[in-house]
Amino acid sequence: MNISKLIFILTLFIGISACVKTEFDEPPYNDNDPKLNANFSIKDLKKLHKSGKYETVNDDYIIKAVVIADDKSGNYYKTIVVQDSTGGMEVKINGTGLFATYPAGRRVYIKTKGMTLGDYNGNFQVGMGTYLNNNNPDDERLSGIRPEIMETVLLPGSLNQPLVPKKGPISSFTSADYNTLVELDSVEFNKTELGKNFSDGVNSGTNRIIEECEGNTILLRSSLYADFAGDSVPSGRGNIVAVLSVFGSDKQLYLRDKADINFGGDRCGQGGGGTTLVTIQSIRDLYSGGASTAGKDKKIKGIVISDATGNNLDSKNAVVYQPG
């Protein structure tokens, strides 16, 4: 091979190598958020409200939140639910198909000036104005935001924001968690609900009882117009992600979509040698002072972190730790 041909091959090789990218370009960052600075929170807004009353917000506050539930499945009607780091609230809008503009996971900037604060049997809501239901002066209700102005009040921002539910047993959730996304694990429908549909097909809303193996219960409320209303409730046990709400003194769960419920496991007391794995916290919650029992068919799993080896514990005792 002559020297000129060798130089040509080497030059070609170097040129090809220079064109090969060893790192991929990052996708362009698409920030569709309006250029607004949030100066208020949902918790702050709740402080302006007195239960059972209606108040108009006269100050031009701005709240930054994320949509955690929309009306796509039909379980919410003319309503979206938003949440920030301090809490959540229902936003009433006089329109349907809201998921097209405000799907779950979209960030929104909320201008509060002119908004009306209210609650429906203890569940905090915001809208714009009020009306008399059936012209009954004793039945004043919250009006929704008019569709033609909704995007000037609820400014849409970037999509696909992470939605991380708060996990815990039923007893761990308080009023501070109303209108926020929660996740319950190791729950099932009460045996009296088996064979029934999510909706009874008659009333606008139907309550079904969900319970833990320890007996704690909560209501799952489904709309007659939800796309899963005519489906049978699952007979197994598992986890559910839902929006926590309240009606009077009753805590309620609202499914955003049927896919948020995963009850494919054995019911309490079934499988696993006739025992059900439960959390140490759930056993602690059963204690109210004095001697008591944990009930049948339960087991816990943990790590022994102290025993009687050092003679600091009674020989019949050990300390067990369970991560989380």
Side-chain angles (χ1 to χ4, degrees), residues 65-84 88-93 97-108 154 161-163 179-182 241-245 253-257 260:
V66 175
V67 179
I68 61 168
D70 55 43
D71 61 348
K72 187 174 184 178
S73 73
N75 209 28
Y76 279 99
Y77 178 64
K78 295 185 176 182
T79 301
I80 61 173
V81 186
V82 302
Q83 178 179 341
D84 67 9
M89 62 184 182
E90 286 189 357
V91 181
K92 312 299 288 184
I93 303 172
L98 303 174
F99 65 91
T101 305
Y102 304 109
R106 166 156 254 171
R107 180 178 288 139
V108 290
L154 306 173
Q161 298 301 307
L163 302 177
N179 291 313
T180 67
L181 205 59
V182 301
V241 175
V243 177
L244 181 68
S245 186
L253 297 174
Y254 279 83
L255 282 177
R256 302 172 305 165
D257 186 87
D260 283 340

